[in-house]
Amino acid sequence: MQMILSYLRRCVEDYDMIHAGERIAVGVSGGKDSLVLLYAMAKLREFYPEPFELHAVTVHPGAPGMDFGPVAALCRELNVPYHLIETEIFHIIFDLRQEKNPCSMCAKMRRGAMHSALQELGIHKVALGHHRDDAVETFFLSLFYEGRLSCFQPMTYLDRTDITQIRPLLYCGEGMVRGAARRYGLPVVHNPCPADGNTRRQEVKELVAKLSKDYPKLKNYVFGAMQRLPLPEWGPVNGGRRLRRRGMEEDHAE
């Protein structure tokens, strides 16, 4: 966790993500990424020079068998207020609409439910669990399927809702995140979605993994290129200390 905290803090400072006195929510889906982010943000709160208030918010999609009780218990252990938002997203998408390509609509509905909950709570900043591998895969998805060089941004201000999205795990690779979730016994919630593992993103993930066997520094170079190009809003605002090479090779430590 010490290494994750180091990279998380560096990312927060490079992109000026946290200011003193802010109330920040972690969007907790129950997956390993969001749980590691929650755990790391709770630890960062203990020593970060800009004091902030932390909350955890889960949008329950209404899928059968999803138990967020252990997540609530983790939040109590971390002294983080937990907000569970019940929805019928799963029922609407799979039972009523019977969507063949449900991912886009699901993401849109979950995002809408999250933003509504944040507005009710009076919280204007949400931390999302996207890591380095997510960014690289999104870059290739945009290139392959949209014909453009694009990716989500480290920080995104949504003027319609007055909410800012931040992604503090961007300097951490998936291997590091997976290892931390396993090492600290974080309560990962099983995802029963029928579309899980059968998406374009999964295809790109597998392609990147295959290419990385022949080109071990592929993800390092793509991520660095996004910062150096830079893509819109990817140029670090604080001069941007370049990602240390050691931090870009953590997948070997899985």
Side-chain angles (χ1 to χ4, degrees):
M1 184 55 66
Q2 194 62 38
M3 189 175 292
I4 284 182
L5 280 172
S6 175
Y7 297 141
L8 182 143
R9 179 171 182 172
R10 188 182 307 160
C11 186
V12 165
E13 292 177 347
D14 279 357
Y15 292 100
D16 197 23
M17 290 180 173
I18 295 176
H19 300 145
E22 286 188 315
R23 303 176 71 210
I24 302 174
V26 176
V28 180
S29 67
K32 68 180 188 315
D33 305 336
S34 63
L35 289 172
V36 168
L37 175 61
L38 170 65
Y39 194 93
M41 289 287 285
K43 297 302 180 183
L44 181 72
R45 178 186 56 179
E46 297 174 1
F47 63 84
Y48 196 62
E50 303 278 352
F52 61 93
E53 182 180 330
L54 192 65
H55 290 250
V57 180
T58 293
V59 173
H60 194 317
M66 297 188 77
D67 179 13
F68 288 94
V71 175
L74 174 65
C75 288
R76 288 192 295 270
E77 177 185 330
L78 296 173
N79 194 28
V80 174
Y82 183 55
H83 312 274
L84 180 62
I85 313 303
E86 302 281 356
T87 75
E88 294 188 353
I89 294 174
F90 189 91
H91 174 61
I92 293 171
I93 290 179
F94 292 104
D95 298 332
L96 298 182
R97 298 180 63 96
Q98 298 182 5
E99 292 283 339
K100 295 182 179 180
N101 299 297
C103 296
S104 178
M105 176 170 288
C106 180
K108 183 177 181 179
M109 293 179 71
R110 286 188 293 111
R111 189 162 52 245
M114 172 66 74
H115 292 171
S116 295
L118 293 177
Q119 288 174 321
E120 290 180 9
L121 293 167
I123 297 175
H124 298 280
K125 183 166 286 186
V126 58
L128 304 177
H130 298 110
H131 46 64
R132 181 201 61 180
D133 292 51
D134 289 326
V136 171
E137 290 157 13
T138 299
F139 175 84
F140 281 120
L141 275 168
S142 297
L143 178 63
F144 294 161
Y145 293 105
E146 300 174 10
R148 62 193 182 104
L149 301 178
S150 179
C151 184
F152 52 71
Q153 299 171 354
M155 284 187 62
T156 308
Y157 175 67
L158 308 172
D159 55 5
R160 292 182 61 182
T161 57
D162 191 28
I163 291 172
T164 298
Q165 299 174 336
I166 62 175
R167 296 176 168 89
L169 283 183
L170 277 182
Y171 286 1
C172 300
E174 185 171 17
M176 176 184 287
V177 173
R178 184 185 298 110
R182 183 174 56 247
R183 188 161 50 251
Y184 290 94
L186 299 183
V188 175
V189 179
H190 171 66
N191 181 7
C193 176
D196 188 37
N198 297 295
T199 63
R200 285 179 172 177
R201 177 171 290 276
Q202 183 62 31
E203 292 177 1
V204 169
K205 177 185 286 289
E206 293 172 3
L207 175 61
V208 171
K210 182 178 179 180
L211 289 172
S212 295
K213 292 180 179 179
D214 294 326
Y215 307 97
K217 297 181 180 180
L218 174 69
K219 287 182 283 189
N220 305 17
Y221 290 156
V222 172
F223 190 93
M226 288 194 287
Q227 286 188 305
R228 288 188 295 270
L229 187 57
L231 291 181
E233 306 303 326
W234 268 83
V237 297
N238 287 328
R241 290 166 294 177
R242 294 299 180 192
L243 210 59
R244 306 296 192 269
R245 186 164 300 281
R246 182 184 174 193
M248 295 298 285
E249 295 176 349
E250 85 297 323
D251 286 341
H252 297 300
E254 285 186 55

